[in-house]
Amino acid sequence: MSTSASTQVAGVYHRRLGDALVTGLSDGYVDMGYTIFRNIPEEETKAILARDHRTSPPRISVNAFAVRMDSRTYLIDCGSADLMGPTCGRLPENLAAAGIDPASVDAVLLTHVHPDHSNGLTDAATGTRLFPNAEIIVHENEINHWFNDEAMAKAAERPRRRYFEAGRTQLKPYMAADRVKTFRKGEVLPGGHGDPDPRSYPRPRRLCRIARRRINGGLG
């Protein structure tokens, strides 16, 4: 691993976790306003944020995590690309700052298929896979829901476009290349391309929890 891959820069936060180098990567942020809090008066929301010394109105960070271990590179989520405004879509430049070539990513482990977690998979305009050698690892319930035509037909226009259609646009090029692997709750993830060992991929939610817990004071 090159020296530059572990150099600390803005938007990139490295932390050793056993044999793994876990890197928090900022994709940017979104100023959400108070309407994201339901069934609570705005004044009460402001008071709670002030009491806990939180940014008000709330600013939501959009982050991904890279895990490098045993000569493999895993990416947990992949940011929002240009879907969530000009303050997001910074993952590609921060991957470069961390010394990670998208072509070197072995797997992208999606915690779920919401656009701030999956919209950085594919160039929507060209259908090009932005991680050309990666397998996409995702829970089967995510595929079953977002590719359910009946559920999409019942959705309002905005969530249909922003969630169902965007998710399909991002995943279909990988499906066409047989690069999407699904798993069930409690199941060990399938082995990587060319690697028959079913233990070759860590479980994405567990890795994400560990990364968030260990990178205290870094990216949230």
Side-chain angles (χ1 to χ4, degrees):
M1 189 177 299
S2 67
T3 303
S4 62
S6 57
T7 301
Q8 199 69 52
V9 298
V12 177
Y13 189 92
H14 301 288
R15 184 71 176 265
R16 281 283 176 189
L17 179 61
D19 294 333
L21 177 63
V22 180
T23 304
L25 297 156
S26 173
D27 186 63
Y29 65 89
V30 181
D31 289 321
M32 299 296 294
Y34 299 106
T35 57
I36 62 168
F37 300 103
R38 299 182 179 181
N39 303 318
I40 180 171
E42 183 174 312
E43 290 306 314
E44 185 176 348
T45 300
K46 291 178 179 179
I48 292 171
L49 292 171
R51 182 194 65 200
D52 292 341
H53 306 287
R54 300 280 187 173
T55 301
S56 184
R59 173 168 288 179
I60 307 301
S61 296
V62 179
N63 301 310
F65 293 90
V67 180
R68 285 171 279 186
M69 56 189 297
D70 299 330
S71 75
R72 287 180 173 270
T73 300
Y74 309 98
L75 190 62
I76 302 173
D77 294 333
C78 57
S80 62
D82 60 354
L83 190 69
M84 300 182 72
T87 56
C88 287
R90 308 297 173 83
L91 182 62
E93 64 190 72
N94 283 325
L95 280 171
I100 299 174
D101 181 348
S104 74
V105 175
D106 295 286
V108 179
L109 290 72
L110 295 179
T111 56
H112 56 295
V113 187
H114 279 178
D116 53 326
H117 295 258
S118 69
N119 211 60
L121 285 175
T122 296
D123 184 326
T126 65
T128 303
R129 288 178 286 142
L130 299 178
F131 301 96
N133 299 311
E135 289 186 322
I136 309 304
I137 310 298
V138 62
H139 197 285
E140 65 175 7
N141 288 353
E142 293 290 312
I143 300 297
N144 292 341
H145 177 70
W146 299 113
F147 282 80
N148 184 312
D149 290 338
E150 184 177 351
M152 185 171 76
K154 292 179 180 178
E157 190 277 333
R158 186 175 184 274
R160 182 172 64 249
R161 173 177 48 83
R162 193 176 181 89
Y163 293 92
F164 285 92
E165 293 179 5
R168 294 181 183 203
T169 295
Q170 294 300 311
L171 285 166
K172 278 183 175 179
Y174 293 88
M175 289 178 166
D178 193 26
R179 285 286 184 170
V180 175
K181 306 296 183 183
T182 61
F183 66 98
R184 298 184 179 95
K185 181 178 180 180
E187 183 180 43
V188 175
L189 298 183
H193 182 66
D195 185 349
D197 185 353
R199 297 167 298 177
S200 61
Y201 286 133
R203 295 176 182 174
R205 290 185 183 277
R206 179 173 179 271
L207 266 179
C208 197
R209 287 197 300 269
I210 291 171
R212 289 181 185 277
R213 186 166 63 246
R214 293 298 181 91
I215 303 181
N216 293 322
L219 302 174

